[in-house]
Amino acid sequence: MTITIGNINTSSSTVGNLDALFAPNAVAIIGASDDTRKYGNWIAVQALKGDRPVHLINRTRATVLGRAAAPSVVSVGSQVDLAVIAVPVSGFEEAVDDALAAGARAIVGISAGLGEAGEEGRRLEQRITAKVRAAGARMLGPNCLGVLDHSSGLTLASNEFPVGNIGVISQSGNLALELATLLVDHGMGVSRFASLGNQADLDAADLVDAYATHEGTAAIAVYCEDFRDGRRFARAAARAAAAGKPVVLLTVGATDASVRNAKSHTGAMVSSGIVVEAACRAAKIEQVSSPAQMAHLLQALVRSKVPRGARTAVFADGGGQASVASDSAAAQGLDVVEFPPALQAAVAAELPPTAAVSNPVDVAGGGEQDIMCFARVLDHLTGSADVDATLMSGYFGGYGSYGPELAAREIDAAREMAGSTRAGGGTVVVQTMNWQSAAADTLRDGGIPVYRGIEEAAWALGRLVRRHTEPATGVPELPRPADPLTDTGYYASRRLLSGAGIPFVPAVEVSSKEQLLAAAAGLKFPLVLKALGDEHKSDRGGVILGLQDANSLLAAWHDVQNRLAPPSCSLEEMADLTGAVELLVGVRRDRSFGPIVLVGLGGVFAEILRDVRCALGPVSSAQARDLLLSLRGAALLTGARGRPPVDVDAAADVVARLSELAAAHPEISEIECNPVAATPDRAIALDARIVLD
């Protein structure tokens, strides 16, 4: 079955059925051990806690953990869907052969020392993976920490995980364990866990697809360092989001180390971090920077709903907390709007005369007088057409300490708040200093996220709002490859780009004084002389502007020849840059995510200003326009401080055409036009550079 959502192909699965991995009929632990220092012991102990048949495999021992052990999976004599292999690398291939011969349809490779251990290990891993696939089986790992699925009672990991509805996919065992601990703080837990390991067969995209159709999973948490096919991962995440299972991603690598070999401005400014950000925007993946942020956001995603806008009511039971919450909300881009008179009057009718009701709301002691006022005020806020979301802050959850009667009433209030919010479809996020109280638990159980700190609560609400205000742009499909390029010289590049519809000023390549003068006769002064064969020609005085006549042209020619001795020069008409803004437009091919489109303020200051935005390519003209207008310096394009606005549509057309060209040529590593001059009536490329892979 295939469904189309925007430009996202939502095939029901790209990996096939993984029931053998997550819900096997029986399990074999190859390398099961009594030695408490070994994974074979840890995983066997966990496996035996479940109800399904577990076969302990050990070639040299008749019993393990007080149970009968078999020398091989084949000798078990019955169908075993899943084999977990925890033996030294020297015995890994033999163990895989045994499992496949016994009919295993899934393998979990705990063993290390394969693809991560050098060329010999990579070759061994590739050979084993080919065997697994040829047998119609699938393999998780190797060099992984196991798998579990609480909905099927499968526990094949070295550690226990709390039960819940968050699917976890991780390349780090410790990070997965840390996340599980943080989820417990929020009253949450894990539905499935899979350790990626080397991703020799199953990768992050495969597992996201499998989780997206898992009934017990409400959201998917991914820690991944190597995406393999990044676009496939992004499409899988988009399918999961379309199925109501948002993906939250933690990754690493936002450093210059990944671009040390870049030869152009484009390559130097597109780090792996920027690439992943572009993929996340395309697929509506929620990227975070720590396990704590991941837990905070997961709580909001599974317990609350995406609001229709940013108009936020702040509701507190203290003036100081109301003010701090308002500032925290504003810092996240939330709009703490003043309530209209009718809403103010409705809120005031529920509270003491000293209460603040214009937004933020301060109950001013109303909680002690009538704890149910929280429920009534919240009902007014969530039911108002003038409020998109409510951020509640303060002491709620602590009133029960004043006596048993108030404690019971506080829980009643929490239950009513959660019920009315759920029934009305409102968005409510709560911060309370009493975040581990019975009332707070009642709110969580009823579907309202509760946080300890106001910064965390406001941040989570801001991320919910952005899911509405910043919709996914979609993961673009790549075109069929064109005939590969071989000549990437300046003029060959210009011809290629001109053929793609990107405008340039008239120009002629010259290599002698005679050619220079002949070319000048056919061009319009003033002219520009560029020394070719030097990617940083402007830094070395290889670009001479404003040549008004033949004498100044000859003087410039002799100067360039004496200083730089270029193989040839480009003689070009000088574009009228009155009112122009110089832009950098480029595409870099990422090994995992493919062509990445970059736009930014350009010219000689491109690497200094580093005002850039990226997207997965190719992009449409409309998407390119959005990228340009999202730059920090976008006001220069739209007319800042009396400047005339430039033709943004023409500039966007250049971006789109360059992205389409680059996407059709997978042999291009980097391509850029720097600068592109955007003027009030056009956009024209003033330079071009192509680097082949």
Side-chain angles (χ1 to χ4, degrees), residues 599 611-614 625-634 637:
V599 300
D611 182 9
V612 298
R613 293 286 282 174
C614 289
R625 179 184 174 87
D626 289 341
L627 280 178
L628 290 166
L629 294 180
S630 68
L631 292 169
R632 294 193 305 274
L637 304 176

Side-chain angles (χ1 to χ4, degrees), residues 513-578:
K513 182 172 70 173
E514 292 72 23
Q515 291 178 355
L516 176 79
L517 295 175
L523 297 173
K524 179 181 178 181
F525 283 94
L527 298 176
V528 176
L529 186 67
K530 295 181 180 178
L532 299 182
D534 186 347
E535 63 190 79
H536 293 292
K537 49 190 173 288
S538 61
D539 295 342
R540 298 181 175 87
V543 178
I544 302 177
L545 307 173
L547 302 173
Q548 299 292 338
D549 51 37
N551 290 334
S552 60
L553 175 60
L554 283 171
W557 170 265
H558 291 303
D559 173 55
V560 167
Q561 295 300 317
N562 290 334
R563 287 188 298 106
L564 303 176
S568 63
C569 290
S570 179
L571 186 63
E572 306 178 3
E573 291 186 2
M574 188 167 175
D576 181 5
L577 301 183
T578 303

Side-chain angles (χ1 to χ4, degrees), residues 85 87-96 109-111 114 128 139 142:
I85 302 176
V87 300
V89 64
S90 58
F92 186 72
E93 184 171 16
E94 181 182 351
V96 170
I110 306 297
S111 306
L114 288 110
I128 293 170
M139 179 169 66

